Coordinates of all heavy atoms in Angstrom, one line a residue:
S390 N -1.7 1.4 3.3 CA -1.0 0.3 3.8 C -1.9 -1.0 3.9 O -1.5 -2.0 3.4 CB -0.3 0.5 5.1 OG 0.6 1.6 5.0
V391 N -3.1 -0.8 4.5 CA -4.0 -1.9 4.7 C -4.6 -2.3 3.3 O -4.8 -3.6 3.1 CB -5.0 -1.6 5.8 CG1 -6.1 -2.7 5.8 CG2 -4.3 -1.5 7.1
A392 N -4.9 -1.4 2.5 CA -5.4 -1.8 1.1 C -4.3 -2.7 0.4 O -4.7 -3.7 -0.2 CB -5.7 -0.5 0.3
L393 N -3.1 -2.3 0.5 CA -2.0 -3.1 -0.2 C -1.8 -4.5 0.5 O -1.6 -5.5 -0.1 CB -0.7 -2.4 -0.2 CG -0.7 -1.2 -1.1 CD1 0.5 -0.3 -0.9 CD2 -0.8 -1.6 -2.6
L394 N -1.9 -4.5 1.9 CA -1.8 -5.7 2.6 C -3.0 -6.6 2.2 O -2.7 -7.9 2.2 CB -1.8 -5.4 4.1 CG -0.5 -4.9 4.7 CD1 -0.7 -4.4 6.1 CD2 0.6 -5.9 4.6
T395 N -4.1 -6.1 2.0 CA -5.3 -6.9 1.6 C -5.0 -7.5 0.2 O -5.4 -8.7 0.0 CB -6.6 -6.1 1.6 OG1 -6.7 -5.6 2.9 CG2 -7.8 -6.9 1.2
V396 N -4.4 -6.8 -0.7 CA -4.1 -7.4 -2.0 C -3.1 -8.5 -1.8 O -3.3 -9.6 -2.4 CB -3.5 -6.3 -3.0 CG1 -3.0 -7.0 -4.2 CG2 -4.5 -5.2 -3.3
Y397 N -2.1 -8.3 -1.0 CA -1.2 -9.3 -0.7 C -1.9 -10.6 -0.1 O -1.6 -11.7 -0.6 CB -0.1 -8.8 0.3 CG 1.0 -9.8 0.6 CD1 2.2 -9.6 -0.1 CD2 0.9 -10.8 1.5 CE1 3.2 -10.5 0.1 CE2 1.9 -11.7 1.7 CZ 3.0 -11.6 1.0 OH 4.1 -12.4 1.3
D398 N -2.7 -10.4 0.9 CA -3.4 -11.5 1.5 C -4.3 -12.3 0.5 O -4.3 -13.5 0.5 CB -4.3 -11.0 2.7 CG -5.0 -12.1 3.3 OD1 -4.4 -13.1 3.8 OD2 -6.3 -12.1 3.4
M399 N -5.0 -11.6 -0.4 CA -5.8 -12.3 -1.3 C -5.1 -13.0 -2.4 O -5.7 -13.9 -3.0 CB -6.8 -11.3 -1.8 CG -7.8 -10.7 -0.8 SD -9.1 -9.7 -1.4 CE -10.1 -11.0 -2.2
C400 N -3.9 -12.6 -2.7 CA -3.1 -13.2 -3.8 C -2.0 -14.1 -3.4 O -1.3 -14.7 -4.2 CB -2.6 -12.1 -4.7 SG -3.9 -11.1 -5.4
K401 N -1.7 -14.2 -2.1 CA -0.5 -14.9 -1.6 C -0.5 -16.4 -2.0 O 0.6 -17.0 -2.1 CB -0.3 -14.7 -0.1 CG -1.3 -15.4 0.7 CD -1.1 -15.0 2.2 CE -2.2 -15.8 3.0 NZ -2.8 -15.0 4.0
A402 N -1.6 -17.0 -2.2 CA -1.7 -18.4 -2.6 C -1.0 -18.6 -4.0 O -0.6 -19.7 -4.3 CB -3.1 -18.9 -2.5
I403 N -1.1 -17.6 -4.9 CA -0.6 -17.8 -6.2 C 0.7 -17.0 -6.5 O 1.4 -17.3 -7.5 CB -1.6 -17.4 -7.3 CG1 -2.0 -15.9 -7.2 CG2 -2.9 -18.3 -7.2 CD1 -2.7 -15.4 -8.4
D404 N 1.1 -16.1 -5.5 CA 2.3 -15.4 -5.7 C 3.0 -15.2 -4.4 O 2.6 -14.3 -3.6 CB 2.0 -14.0 -6.4 CG 3.2 -13.3 -6.9 OD1 4.3 -13.6 -6.4 OD2 3.0 -12.3 -7.7
K405 N 4.1 -15.9 -4.1 CA 4.8 -15.8 -2.9 C 5.9 -14.6 -2.9 O 6.5 -14.4 -1.9 CB 5.5 -17.1 -2.5 CG 4.6 -18.3 -2.6 CD 3.9 -18.5 -1.3 CE 3.1 -19.8 -1.2 NZ 1.7 -19.7 -1.1
N406 N 6.0 -14.0 -4.0 CA 7.1 -13.0 -4.2 C 6.7 -11.6 -4.3 O 7.4 -10.7 -4.7 CB 8.0 -13.4 -5.4 CG 8.7 -14.7 -5.2 OD1 9.3 -14.9 -4.2 ND2 8.5 -15.6 -6.2
M407 N 5.4 -11.3 -3.9 CA 4.9 -9.9 -4.0 C 5.7 -9.1 -3.0 O 6.1 -9.6 -1.9 CB 3.4 -9.9 -3.7 CG 2.5 -10.5 -4.7 SD 0.8 -10.5 -4.2 CE 0.8 -11.7 -2.9
V408 N 5.8 -7.8 -3.3 CA 6.6 -6.9 -2.5 C 5.8 -5.6 -2.3 O 5.4 -5.0 -3.3 CB 8.0 -6.6 -3.0 CG1 8.7 -5.5 -2.2 CG2 8.8 -7.8 -3.2
L409 N 5.5 -5.2 -1.1 CA 5.0 -3.8 -0.8 C 6.1 -2.9 -0.7 O 7.1 -3.2 -0.1 CB 4.2 -3.8 0.5 CG 2.8 -4.4 0.5 CD1 2.7 -5.8 0.2 CD2 2.1 -4.0 1.7
E410 N 5.9 -1.7 -1.4 CA 7.0 -0.7 -1.4 C 6.6 0.7 -1.6 O 5.5 0.9 -2.0 CB 8.1 -1.1 -2.4 CG 7.6 -1.1 -3.8 CD 8.6 -1.7 -4.8 OE1 9.6 -2.3 -4.4 OE2 8.3 -1.6 -6.0
N411 N 7.5 1.6 -1.2 CA 7.3 3.0 -1.5 C 6.0 3.6 -0.9 O 5.4 4.4 -1.6 CB 7.4 3.3 -3.0 CG 8.0 4.7 -3.2 OD1 8.5 5.3 -2.4 ND2 7.7 5.2 -4.4
I412 N 5.6 3.1 0.3 CA 4.4 3.7 0.9 C 4.9 5.0 1.5 O 5.8 5.1 2.3 CB 3.9 2.8 2.0 CG1 3.4 1.5 1.4 CG2 2.8 3.5 2.8 CD1 3.1 0.3 2.3
R413 N 4.1 6.1 1.1 CA 4.6 7.4 1.5 C 3.5 8.4 1.4 O 2.5 8.3 0.6 CB 5.8 7.9 0.7 CG 5.5 8.0 -0.8 CD 6.8 8.2 -1.6 NE 6.5 8.4 -3.0 CZ 6.6 9.5 -3.7 NH1 7.1 10.6 -3.1 NH2 6.3 9.6 -5.0
L414 N 3.6 9.5 2.2 CA 2.7 10.6 2.1 C 3.1 11.5 0.9 O 4.3 11.9 0.8 CB 2.8 11.4 3.4 CG 1.8 12.6 3.5 CD1 0.4 12.1 3.6 CD2 2.2 13.5 4.7
I415 N 2.2 11.8 0.0 CA 2.6 12.6 -1.1 C 2.0 14.1 -1.1 O 2.4 14.9 -1.9 CB 2.3 12.0 -2.5 CG1 0.8 11.7 -2.7 CG2 3.1 10.7 -2.7 CD1 0.4 11.4 -4.1
E416 N 1.0 14.2 -0.2 CA 0.3 15.5 -0.2 C -0.4 15.7 1.2 O -0.9 14.7 1.7 CB -0.7 15.6 -1.3 CG -1.5 16.8 -1.3 CD -2.7 16.8 -2.4 OE1 -2.5 16.1 -3.4 OE2 -3.7 17.5 -2.2
K417 N -0.3 16.9 1.7 CA -1.1 17.2 2.9 C -1.4 18.7 2.7 O -0.6 19.5 2.3 CB -0.4 16.9 4.2 CG 0.6 17.8 4.7 CD 1.1 17.3 6.1 CE 1.8 18.4 6.8 NZ 2.2 18.1 8.2
Q418 N -2.6 19.0 3.1 CA -3.1 20.4 3.0 C -4.0 20.7 4.2 O -4.6 19.8 4.8 CB -4.0 20.6 1.8 CG -3.3 20.4 0.5 CD -4.3 20.4 -0.7 OE1 -5.5 20.5 -0.6 NE2 -3.7 20.5 -1.9
K419 N -3.9 22.0 4.6 CA -4.8 22.5 5.6 C -5.3 23.9 5.2 O -4.5 24.6 4.6 CB -4.2 22.5 7.0 CG -3.0 23.4 7.2 CD -2.5 23.2 8.6 CE -1.2 24.0 8.7 NZ -0.7 23.9 10.1
E420 N -6.6 24.1 5.4 CA -7.2 25.4 4.9 C -8.1 25.9 6.0 O -8.9 25.2 6.5 CB -7.9 25.1 3.6 CG -8.5 26.3 2.9 CD -9.2 25.9 1.6 OE1 -8.7 25.0 0.9 OE2 -10.3 26.5 1.4
D421 N -8.0 27.2 6.2 CA -8.9 27.8 7.2 C -10.3 27.7 6.7 O -10.6 27.9 5.5 CB -8.5 29.3 7.5 CG -7.2 29.4 8.3 OD1 -6.9 28.4 9.1 OD2 -6.5 30.4 8.1

């Protein structure tokens, strides 16, 4: 989330229509 927010922050001066989306957990594992 913060990586994407940083992209937004760094580019907002040239693109006011950026959209962050579909942030989700795709994998989780635990192993003894």
Side-chain angles (χ1 to χ4, degrees):
S390 297
V391 171
L393 292 169
L394 285 167
T395 301
V396 172
Y397 186 98
D398 180 58
M399 293 186 74
C400 299
K401 67 185 181 223
I403 63 168
D404 191 344
K405 308 278 190 241
N406 296 311
M407 291 178 290
V408 176
L409 277 66
E410 58 189 12
N411 207 19
I412 296 168
R413 62 192 181 110
L414 184 69
I415 62 164
E416 177 184 333
K417 82 175 197 175
Q418 298 176 348
K419 61 183 175 180
E420 183 179 322
D421 290 330

